[in-house]
Amino acid sequence: MDFALTEEQQRIREAVAKLCERFADEYWLERDREGKFPVQFHQAMARDGWLGIAMPEQFGGAGLGISEAAVMMQAVAESGAGFSGASAVHMNIFGLNPAVVFGTPEQKQRWLPPLIAGRERACFAVTEPNTGLNTKAIQTRAEKRGARYLVSGQKVWISTAQVAEKVLLLARADAGLTLFYTDLDRRHVEVREIDKMGRHAVDSNQVFFDALPVPEEDRIGEEGKGFEYILHGMNPERILIAAELVGLGRCAVGRAAAYAKERVVFGRPIGQNQAIQHPLAANWMALEAANLMAFKAASLYDAGKPCGAEANAAKYLAGEACFDACQQAVMTHGGFGYAREYHVERYLRESFVGRIAPVSRELILCFIAERVLGLPKSY
């Protein structure tokens, strides 16, 4: 049993970290202040081939596993890019997983190369205002009209819809929930940005579809099996977000420890005080434990083994550990922790992203109680 990164994974980590050095704290601070998509970072990741890390080689990807993708995404978050950087690219890693697995060769040839090259960006449109996590209850309709569908309805909390050219869309057709990957045609789509607490560099939106025409050839797989296809991408999503949460938490702890060594009060560095040391030490331990669970889940997924419990547990543990670490980083800085120029307040705001999405803490606890412990369903 070896818990170390492979040589290839270590090279990935080092190469991505080196790329991220070109996008220092000030870059992300400015993106956060202006609320602008990190185009330069996204294009740099595309130029170096990282956007296709888990995509098939025949379409321009690297053909690697979710373990390698998790290494990459963790390095992005840990660099200080946090969820602003991670959210700008991880749609490529897990968002189109259903298309990679269930799409036809012709569809993948049309869809994947532009995404991998950074020429197109995609958004993921599943959640609706009145259904939340109850995905089976979504109301957006896809009415079949000849060789195309007309999609009407509303989605919410859709990331990157302001800048995306494509949309992975779940809608209700006659046979049931059906999945599409198609053009985000602004003539039939209205996108309203949500003014939110953090991660301002990557937009979140309400999206309104008004008879959006979707060609039949943009349907993924069979009509009525969209929910099944979406489920296939949920474990990779949880694994990657867990890895990102660990990365952001590590960044926060590292910055807090550095400040604690430099900040002198009453003639000695504050890091000499156990009241500062012990919480940060506990944060480090919690993050490393969550990291082990994340990479256990990733290794199981890549081996084709069941990993639902591990993927959900990783996301839960990493979410709690990251939030605690970011909060402690702010408190370690004292009043300066509240100042934007020290960055830790941004980390704290962004830590909520992975704690809330893509599934709540409570539903993960329900999942473990029911699927692992065999307890009766509570909702």
Side-chain angles (χ1 to χ4, degrees), residues 22-198:
R22 305 192 330 242
F23 301 91
D25 292 326
E26 290 70 26
Y27 175 83
W28 297 109
L29 178 60
E30 196 62 25
R31 299 288 80 70
D32 185 67
R33 281 175 172 161
E34 296 179 352
K36 290 185 177 179
F37 188 83
V39 174
Q40 301 91 335
F41 173 74
H42 179 269
Q43 290 301 305
M45 292 289 284
R47 281 193 300 271
D48 285 8
W50 295 116
L51 297 189
I53 189 169
M55 298 288 190
E57 291 182 82
Q58 62 265 42
F59 304 111
L64 299 176
I66 291 299
S67 296
E68 287 73 31
V71 168
M72 180 187 83
M73 297 309 305
Q74 188 172 86
V76 169
E78 194 171 338
S79 74
F83 272 91
S84 292
S87 298
V89 298
H90 67 192
M91 175 65 189
N92 284 67
I93 314 304
F94 70 79
L96 278 192
N97 183 273
V100 172
V101 176
F102 300 105
T104 66
E106 182 275 332
Q107 287 176 328
K108 287 185 272 193
Q109 187 59 58
R110 277 196 293 125
W111 296 339
L112 301 186
L115 201 68
I116 292 168
R119 296 193 302 272
E120 290 181 350
R121 288 167 290 195
C123 61
F124 187 72
V126 174
T127 306
E128 296 186 2
N130 297 319
T131 60
L133 292 168
N134 187 11
T135 304
K136 288 186 177 181
I138 69 170
Q139 298 301 309
T140 296
R141 293 288 306 176
E143 294 186 11
K144 188 73 180 297
R145 299 285 180 86
R148 66 178 185 174
Y149 295 83
L150 296 180
V151 177
S152 297
Q154 181 181 355
K155 301 291 184 178
V156 72
W157 292 113
I158 310 307
S159 296
T160 71
Q162 293 285 337
V163 297
E165 292 83 16
K166 294 281 189 175
V167 58
L168 187 73
L169 172 63
L170 188 65
R172 186 172 298 280
D174 288 342
L177 295 181
T178 302
L179 191 61
F180 305 92
Y181 184 69
T182 194
D183 293 333
L184 192 65
D185 187 342
R186 308 285 168 158
R187 293 171 299 178
H188 299 271
V189 179
E190 181 184 357
V191 179
R192 300 179 191 169
E193 188 165 2
I194 298 170
D195 189 12
K196 58 186 187 295
M197 176 182 180

Side-chain angles (χ1 to χ4, degrees), residues 109-309:
Q109 187 59 58
R110 277 196 293 125
W111 296 339
L112 301 186
L115 201 68
I116 292 168
R119 296 193 302 272
E120 290 181 350
R121 288 167 290 195
C123 61
F124 187 72
V126 174
T127 306
E128 296 186 2
N130 297 319
T131 60
L133 292 168
N134 187 11
T135 304
K136 288 186 177 181
I138 69 170
Q139 298 301 309
T140 296
R141 293 288 306 176
E143 294 186 11
K144 188 73 180 297
R145 299 285 180 86
R148 66 178 185 174
Y149 295 83
L150 296 180
V151 177
S152 297
Q154 181 181 355
K155 301 291 184 178
V156 72
W157 292 113
I158 310 307
S159 296
T160 71
Q162 293 285 337
V163 297
E165 292 83 16
K166 294 281 189 175
V167 58
L168 187 73
L169 172 63
L170 188 65
R172 186 172 298 280
D174 288 342
L177 295 181
T178 302
L179 191 61
F180 305 92
Y181 184 69
T182 194
D183 293 333
L184 192 65
D185 187 342
R186 308 285 168 158
R187 293 171 299 178
H188 299 271
V189 179
E190 181 184 357
V191 179
R192 300 179 191 169
E193 188 165 2
I194 298 170
D195 189 12
K196 58 186 187 295
M197 176 182 180
R199 206 198 66 175
H200 297 134
V202 177
D203 52 273
S204 299
N205 306 274
Q206 298 181 74
V207 182
F208 301 86
F209 298 92
D210 183 10
L212 172 70
V214 179
E216 190 172 6
E217 57 266 28
D218 285 355
R219 187 189 71 213
I220 296 174
E222 298 179 36
E223 189 175 295
K225 291 193 174 181
F227 185 69
E228 174 186 327
Y229 301 151
I230 286 287
L231 285 177
H232 200 277
M234 286 187 174
N235 285 332
E237 181 182 30
R238 284 154 173 68
I239 292 165
L240 292 172
I241 288 177
E244 294 160 15
L245 284 160
V246 170
L248 178 57
R250 283 175 172 172
C251 178
V253 168
R255 187 173 286 276
Y259 181 82
K261 285 183 276 190
E262 297 169 357
R263 175 66 167 162
V264 175
V265 179
F266 298 118
R268 60 192 236 160
I270 62 171
Q272 192 172 342
N273 301 319
Q274 290 181 350
I276 298 294
Q277 292 181 352
H278 288 182
L280 293 176
N283 292 147
W284 182 90
M285 289 188 283
L287 288 164
E288 294 309 304
N291 192 57
L292 289 174
M293 182 60 81
F295 280 94
K296 178 182 180 181
S299 66
L300 288 171
Y301 181 87
D302 288 337
K305 297 179 180 179
C307 65

